[in-house]
Amino acid sequence: MPDTAISVEHLYKVFGKQPKEAVERLKQGATRDDLAPASTAAVIDASFDVKPGEIFVVMGLSGSGKSTLIRMLNGLNPTTSGSVKVRGQEIVGANPATIRKIRREHISMVFQHFALFPHRTVLENVAFGLEVQEVPKDKREAQARKVLETVGLDQWANSFPNELSGGMQQRVGIARALCAETEILLMDEAFSALDPLIRREMQEELVDLQQQLGKTIVFITHDLNEAMFLGDRIAVMRAGEIVQIGTPEEILTSPANDYVEQFVQDVDRSRVLTASAVMQPALAVVPLSVGVNGVAKVMRDMQVSGVFLVERNKLVGGVTEAQIGRARRRGDVHLSDIVDREIPRVKPDDILSDLFEASVDTSMPLPVVDERERILGIVPRVALLSSMTTNTGTLDLPQSAALTDPQLPVVPDGATAETAAEAIATEASTTEPGEEATR
């Protein structure tokens, strides 16, 4: 399989008089406004690659050029200048037969307004792409039924489009694209005509389908939250130009310019950022071998209310000041007798909005662990709160983060109470004001 499903280089689309001359003016520094009203520069010097199996979202306001761009990817809009390669095959300047072959074999398109044939049944609509490919009727209908089952519409196979709701009709459009068995789907504002609840449902279904089938999807939208939810990467367009390409997290935390920063200021960050984006160093880590009295000394010297316990670099659990106090009154000496092994754990790619419930159920920060249960960092509760209130830029956590979550230096595995305390005292002596953990 090629490294890129679609490769775009220095792509221009100009409508109006003398488009080639207009492109030359743009290359020499002219702006979109300089060409008006004689010409309209819809796409200006666009370059990007779409990787196999990713959802690549092109996002922009009305008039930004995104719909013109997607129609150039399959030759529906002829290109004024530049290159578009599909699986390594150039389509700019290709003859109509070649472009039709590429569409049949590699690219399907899902439109905003469904574009279903009203006189055909759902099954016939879904099988249409295979009919164009001259696949025998029994084979194409069998494939269409299989795809309808995938999108949950198998019981509607013999219905007509006007008997279906808007969301169901859009499912038929997606099913038709899937049935054609092309590896690339172009989706132009595919969900914008749907009601909000149905739209969210369709977004979730698209992600599920993509994970099942591994399709490459180029998705056009003007809705930032939709782009953030769907996109593996996002290209932000403004006035015909791509001003930034990046992951949702990169777009959100490192906007390329004031326009992108303003564009993303109202997005729900907790549904985009992951634990890895806000986690802090895991300082509250003590070996299980330190024992109850050792942890008590650690807590007393550092004035903290809880620690994480590890054994052979693997997270075992956590203990709080209250648990240590009760253990000492009982005369317990081994941490293994009191460690809470059920403390919540999160993965680096967990979305912050999924962590709130776990955070409420514990007095400690959430440990971020890898597949081997090694601690990578912690997510303090204040980081989750900041994700809901920070408008732009990176999440700069306040110094008060230490007030709600215990943070300790890492103590070497196998340390005794005395060596643990010594390591902690050394660390504390170099701690900046406001950094130390408090009760």
Side-chain angles (χ1 to χ4, degrees), residues 383-405:
L384 298 180
L385 298 176
S386 295
S387 75
M388 297 189 299
T389 57
T390 303
N391 283 335
T392 57
T394 56
L395 291 176
D396 295 324
L397 299 182
Q399 291 183 348
S400 60
L403 299 177
T404 55
D405 301 292

Side-chain angles (χ1 to χ4, degrees), residues 5 44 90 109 137-138 143 184 210 238 269 286 294 305 318 326 335 399 411 423:
I44 303 172
E90 181 66 65
M109 193 157 186
K137 183 176 180 180
D138 57 342
Q143 177 67 14
I184 301 170
Q210 194 270 348
R238 182 189 187 190
R269 282 167 152 68
V286 175
S305 58
R326 289 193 295 268
L335 287 171
Q399 291 183 348
V411 180

